[in-house]
Amino acid sequence: MTEPAEALATEKEARDVAESARETEWEHPSFARELYLGRFRLDLIHPHPPEDTAEAARAKPFLDKLADFMARVNSEEIDRTGEIPEALVQELRDMGAFGIKIPKEYGGLGLSQMTYIRAMELVTSKDGSLVALLSASQSIGVPQPLKLFGTDDQKRRFFPRLAKGAISAFALTEVDAGSDPANMRTTATPTEDGAHFVINGEKLWCTNGTRAELFVVMARTPDREVKGKNVKQITAFIVDSAMPGVEVKHRLRFMGLKAIENGVIRFDNVKVPRENILWGEGKGLKLALITLNTGRLTLPAGATGGAKAMLRVARKWAMERVQWGQPIGKHEAVAQMIAKMAANTFAMEAVAELATALYERGNYDIRLEAAIAKLYNTEHGWRIIDDTLQIRGGRGYEMAESLARRGEEAIPVERAMRDFRINLIFEGSSEIMRLFIAREAVDHHFKLAFDIVKPESSMKERLSAMAKSTPFYLTWYPSRWVGAGQLKRYGEFGKLATHVRFIERNTRHLGRSIFHAMVRYGPKLERKQAVLFRAVDIGAELFAMSAACVRADMLAKKGQTGAIALADTFCREARLRVQNHFRNLYGPNDANLYKLAMSVLKGEQAWLEQGIAAYGTEMGLPVAQIAQEESVRPSERGVLAGIP
Ligand SMILES: Cc1cc2nc3c(=O)[nH]c(=O)nc-3n(C[C@H](O)[C@H](O)[C@H](O)COP(=O)(O)OP(=O)(O)OC[C@H]3O[C@@H](n4cnc5c(N)ncnc54)[C@H](O)[C@@H]3O)c2cc1C
C-alpha cells in the first residue's frame, strides 16, 4: 500500500486522475457530440420526445401536494433564521419528497426523472435552502448512485430508509480538492482481514452533512500498480452517520442558501464494511461523474424555475412602475431586458426538458447535453436575476422584510440573487463544465489525428496515424463544407426554419473550426482555454437553439403558438452570439490578456491596489477565532456530531 503524498498533485497527476475517471466510449448516440463533430443530427431530437401522460397522471397527486406545501412555506423566515423548521422537513418526508425516484418496491414514489426535475423546479422557484436539502439528497446523495450501481443487497438495506426520508449527502470536496480530485487526502485503508475499510479525513462544504443519516464518501484506497506505475484509486463508500468516528466539525454559512445544512465533516477511524463500497474499488470518481450526468439535470430545471419567478416579478413591476410618464417596461432599455428574459427563460426550459426527455427515452448518451444544460441555464439564469434586480431598481436591492415593513410587497429579488450565485460553482463550475465539454469535443480528432500534429511524434507514428485517419477525414472534411443538410429547407418549422438552417450551416462550421484549431495548435490546443471555450459556447448556443425550435414546434402543434415568437426571438439573439464567437474564435486579444494577467499575478501591478482598507478582521477578532466560536450551534455540538 502506498501512503498518499502530502504535496499537491502535479498538473500531470491531476489530468491522469481525471482521464482515468472519464467514460471513454460512446455506446449510445448524442446530438451534442455529433454537433461538435460538425454533424447536425436533428433526427436524434426531433420530433421532441412526447410527454409521458401516464407518468404525468401518476405524478399529479404528489406535485399537487408539493405545490400546496410550497405555497405555505415561509421562505423569508427560513432565510432570516437560517433554519428549516423540523416540522417542514417531516412534512416533506411524509409526502415522499425524499424518495421521488426510489422504486415503489422499496417504499419510494417510483416517479421519473422528469417528475423529479419538475418538483425541483417548483421548489427552487421559491426556496433555495429547501431545494438544496432535497436535491443534495437525491441528485448526488445516496439514492442516485445506489440506483445506478448498488447491489441488490445494498438496495434492500438502504432504499427503504432513504424512501422514508433519511437525509443523505455526497462528500467529495476537501480543502485542497475542489475542482481537482487528485488532491484528495481522505483515505480508506483495508483492515488486515480485508472485511472493512477504515476511513480517515475531512470533507468540506458537504451539503446536508450536518443532518445526514447516510453519506456517499469518496476516499483514496491503496494505489494500484498498472504497467509499473502507481495509479491513484478513489472509491465510493456508503457511510452511516451513526458509525463511530463520524463528526460534524463545523456548520458552514454562506452568502445565500442561508438554511443549507452544510458542514465540515470529519471521519476519524470510521470502520466501514466492504459491502458498503459502491460499484467497486477504484471506481469512485467514475461513479461520481456518471452520477452527475443525471444529477446535473436538476440544476438546469431549478435555474428555469428561478428564471420564471423572476420573469413574473419583472413583468408585473415593469407595467406597474411609472417613471418619466410611462410604465418603465415601455422604455426601450427595459423592454429589451423583458423580451430577452422571456425568450431566454423559454430556451432554458427547452434545454432542461429536452435533455431530461432524451435521458428518459433511453439508449442515449446524455453526458454532454447534461453538462451544456448545467452551464447554459445557470449562466443565463444568473443574468435574468441580475436584470430583474435592475428593473426593480432600489427595491431590487432592498430586502423583502424591509419592503414589507414599510408597506410594500415583499418581493425577494436580493434573496434570489444570493441563493442563485452558487449554481455557477458547484456540481462542476462553469470553467470545469467548459473543460469537460471541450475534452469531448476534441476527443474524436485527438484519437484519430493527435499523432500527426504532435511535434514529438516519430515519422512512423505520423504515417500510421495518417493511414488510420485518412479514410475518415476524406469524407468527413469535405462534407463539413458542403453537406446534404444544406439542401434541406426544414419547412415543417415554419417561421423557425431559417434558424434551423442556420444551425445546420453553423454546426458544419463548428466542426471545421474545431478541426482547424487542432491543426493550428496541435497538442497545445488543450492549453488554449479561451479558444476552446468559445467553441464550446458556440455548441451550447446551437444546442439551445435546436432545443428551442424543437420545443416550440411541439408546443405550437398543441396550440401554444406563443412559443414560436419566444423561440424566434431567442434564436435571433443566439445567432448574434454565435457569429460573434466565430469572429473572435482565435481571440485577437487573448495573448495580451494572458500576458497582463501574469504581470498582475507577479504583483507588478499591485501599485493599483493602494488606498484601500484591509480585509481579514471582523468585530475586532481574527476571522479564524470567530470561526472557532460560532460555526457550530450549541445544539449541534454532540447531537449531530454523534458525540456522546
Ligand atoms: C454551498 C456549497 C455547497 C456545496 N456542496 C457540496 C457537496 O454537497 N458535496 C461536495 O463534495 N462538494 C460540495 N461543494 C463544493 C463545490 O462542489 C466546490 O466548491 C466546487 O467543486 C469548486 O471547487 P472549489 O470551490 O475548491 O474551487 P477551485 O477548484 O479552487 O476553483 C476556483 C476557481 O478556479 C477555476 N478553475 C479551477 N480549475 C480550473 C482549470 N483547470 N481551468 C480553468 N479554471 C479552473 C474554477 O472554475 C473556479 O472558478 C459545495 C460548495 C458550496 C459553496
Side-chain angles (χ1 to χ4, degrees):
M1 189 201 133
T2 318
E3 287 299 322
E6 274 308 306
L8 291 182
T10 62
E11 188 177 357
K12 173 151 187 343
E13 284 171 323
R15 279 167 197 269
D16 287 349
V17 168
E19 273 301 308
S20 68
R22 220 187 115 231
E23 291 174 82
T24 48
E25 299 308 319
W26 289 83
E27 268 178 45
H28 299 295
S30 152
F31 175 82
R33 178 173 191 253
E34 293 292 324
L35 201 151
Y36 285 107
L37 268 172
R39 299 191 288 224
F40 181 50
R41 288 285 311 275
L42 185 61
D43 59 299
L44 289 172
I45 60 167
H46 178 68
H48 193 288
E51 178 82 31
D52 180 346
T53 47
E55 166 69 13
R58 270 195 305 275
K60 191 170 182 311
F62 165 69
L63 289 177
D64 286 349
K65 246 186 257 170
L66 188 64
D68 170 66
F69 170 86
M70 287 310 297
R72 286 183 282 112
V73 162
N74 186 342
S75 296
E76 278 308 304
E77 193 178 314
I78 290 176
D79 183 69
R80 187 172 42 77
T81 58
E83 302 298 334
I84 301 171
E86 186 53 37
L88 291 187
V89 180
Q90 193 51 46
E91 212 180 318
L92 286 168
R93 285 195 183 103
D94 293 343
M95 70 173 90
F98 285 96
I100 300 174
K101 292 182 289 174
I102 294 178
K104 274 190 162 170
E105 58 186 296
Y106 298 108
L109 296 183
L111 295 168
S112 69
Q113 177 75 18
M114 185 65 90
T115 299
Y116 171 69
I117 66 151
R118 287 186 181 157
M120 294 307 109
E121 177 183 338
L122 171 68
V123 179
T124 315
S125 68
K126 183 168 176 186
D127 199 304
S129 295
L130 275 177
V131 87
L133 178 73
L134 289 169
S135 79
S137 226
Q138 295 172 88
S139 293
I140 56 173
V142 179
Q144 188 64 19
L146 187 61
K147 197 171 178 180
L148 292 172
F149 303 104
T151 61
D152 287 345
D153 170 61
Q154 288 172 336
K155 286 178 184 169
R156 269 195 304 274
R157 279 196 290 145
F158 299 113
F159 264 154
R161 278 174 74 184
L162 293 158
K164 279 196 201 119
I167 291 168
S168 75
F170 174 79
L172 169 69
T173 303
E174 298 176 9
V175 169
D176 287 325
S179 306
D180 175 7
N183 286 328
M184 190 178 289
R185 303 255 181 266
T186 298
T187 54
T189 311
T191 52
E192 233 157 68
D193 61 2
H196 290 82
F197 282 77
V198 178
I199 302 186
N200 278 295
E202 207 164 273
K203 294 293 181 178
L204 178 63
W205 294 322
C206 181
T207 302
N208 286 355
T210 46
R211 66 184 301 166
E213 279 184 42
L214 293 168
F215 291 84
V216 179
V217 179
M218 298 291 162
R220 280 190 61 190
T221 40
D223 291 358
R224 268 204 3 227
E225 210 180 284
V226 180
K227 292 182 190 159
K229 274 200 305 191
N230 267 342
V231 179
K232 284 186 182 178
Q233 302 291 298
I234 293 174
T235 302
F237 293 86
I238 298 180
V239 175
D240 194 317
S241 64
M243 287 172 174
V246 180
E247 181 195 347
V248 177
K249 264 189 85 178
H250 300 281
R251 179 166 180 186
L252 306 172
R253 299 291 185 170
F254 301 92
M255 163 188 185
L257 305 181
K258 291 292 185 189
I260 191 174
E261 291 280 356
N262 186 297
V264 173
I265 314 297
R266 169 108 208 121
F267 298 89
D268 217 355
N269 286 321
V270 179
K271 202 169 161 193
V272 183
R274 179 180 280 277
E275 297 82 70
N276 281 23
I277 290 181
L278 274 164
W279 201 11
E281 250 185 280
K283 290 189 169 173
L285 212 50
K286 203 168 212 165
L287 170 139
L289 291 182
I290 296 174
T291 302
L292 275 172
N293 285 340
T294 31
R296 272 197 196 114
L297 294 171
T298 313
L299 279 186
T304 308
K308 287 182 186 175
M310 292 298 105
L311 180 62
R312 182 182 287 169
V313 167
R315 173 173 61 80
K316 286 190 171 167
W317 184 245
M319 276 310 285
E320 198 180 308
R321 176 72 171 167
V322 176
Q323 293 286 279
W324 302 84
Q326 50 178 346
I328 55 169
K330 294 199 173 170
H331 296 299
E332 192 176 7
V334 178
Q336 287 229 343
M337 286 190 229
I338 300 273
K340 288 180 192 173
M341 218 181 252
N344 289 347
T345 301
F346 175 78
M348 286 166 66
E349 179 152 63
V351 164
E353 293 231 335
L354 177 65
T356 305
L358 293 170
Y359 164 76
E360 298 227 298
R361 195 169 63 184
N363 294 331
Y364 190 94
D365 195 319
I366 196 65
R367 76 187 99 145
L368 273 179
E369 281 79 353
I372 291 174
K374 195 274 174 185
L375 167 69
Y376 200 83
N377 282 13
T378 54
E379 293 200 341
H380 277 266
W382 173 246
R383 266 173 241 136
I384 286 173
I385 293 181
D386 195 30
D387 281 351
T388 307
L389 196 144
Q390 191 69 16
I391 290 170
R392 286 277 294 160
R395 289 167 178 81
Y397 194 67
E398 189 173 358
M399 295 178 81
E401 203 190 352
S402 168
L403 286 163
R405 265 205 307 269
R406 61 183 184 80
E408 289 207 26
E409 205 181 340
I411 298 174
V413 179
E414 68 80 35
R415 171 162 63 83
M417 187 168 233
R418 286 190 278 110
D419 283 356
F420 196 93
R421 186 59 181 81
I422 188 60
N423 290 326
L424 285 75
I425 295 170
F426 59 19
E427 290 189 23
S429 68
S430 288
E431 292 74 23
I432 296 302
M433 286 296 90
R434 287 192 170 90
L435 282 176
F436 175 87
I437 298 164
R439 174 69 188 85
E440 301 307 333
V442 297
D443 185 55
H444 195 74
H445 298 305
F446 269 29
K447 265 190 198 142
L448 277 179
F450 191 64
D451 281 349
I452 306 175
V453 292
K454 200 166 70 175
E456 56 278 17
S457 287
S458 65
M459 187 49 83
K460 195 173 154 212
E461 282 167 332
R462 242 171 258 248
L463 288 173
S464 144
M466 273 157 118
K468 202 168 70 174
S469 60
T470 303
F472 171 77
Y473 286 112
L474 267 182
T475 50
W476 179 84
Y477 188 70
S479 57
R480 289 324 97 204
W481 288 93
V482 187
Q486 256 175 308
L487 303 172
K488 292 196 189 142
R489 307 305 300 157
Y490 301 102
E492 73 266 32
F493 284 94
K495 191 178 178 190
L496 302 177
T498 171
H499 301 310
V500 181
R501 290 197 294 275
F502 176 93
I503 302 167
E504 191 279 330
R505 271 195 316 280
N506 284 278
T507 298
R508 280 185 288 111
H509 188 179
L510 177 62
R512 299 196 300 269
S513 301
I514 291 173
F515 179 67
H516 293 163
M518 192 194 68
V519 173
R520 180 170 174 155
Y521 295 115
K524 287 193 193 127
L525 179 58
E526 62 179 338
R527 294 198 172 277
K528 294 277 172 198
Q529 290 192 343
V531 176
L532 284 171
F533 286 14
R534 284 182 204 106
V536 165
D537 286 351
I538 292 169
E541 294 289 1
L542 295 176
F543 176 68
M545 287 175 74
S546 307
C549 289
V550 166
R551 185 175 181 82
D553 176 67
M554 172 188 72
L555 292 176
K557 284 188 177 123
K558 289 183 185 170
Q560 186 46 275
T561 48
I564 302 288
L566 290 170
D568 178 47
T569 300
F570 171 75
C571 287
R572 285 167 190 257
E573 287 291 308
R575 284 168 79 146
L576 296 176
R577 293 191 290 267
V578 168
Q579 284 158 351
N580 191 36
H581 283 317
F582 271 130
R583 245 194 319 275
N584 295 308
L585 188 64
Y586 292 118
N589 199 25
D590 286 355
N592 175 52
L593 285 171
Y594 197 78
K595 196 170 145 209
L596 178 61
M598 294 309 107
S599 160
V600 171
L601 292 177
K602 273 191 227 155
E604 289 167 2
Q605 309 292 354
W607 58 269
L608 194 58
E609 297 156 19
Q610 284 166 16
I612 56 172
Y615 288 132
T617 56
E618 295 294 337
M619 296 179 281
L621 287 174
V623 170
Q625 195 177 331
I626 300 172
Q628 275 289 320
E629 288 172 9
E630 291 184 0
S631 64
V632 178
R633 292 186 302 246
S635 63
E636 281 164 0
R637 292 194 188 115
V639 182
L640 287 172
I643 306 166

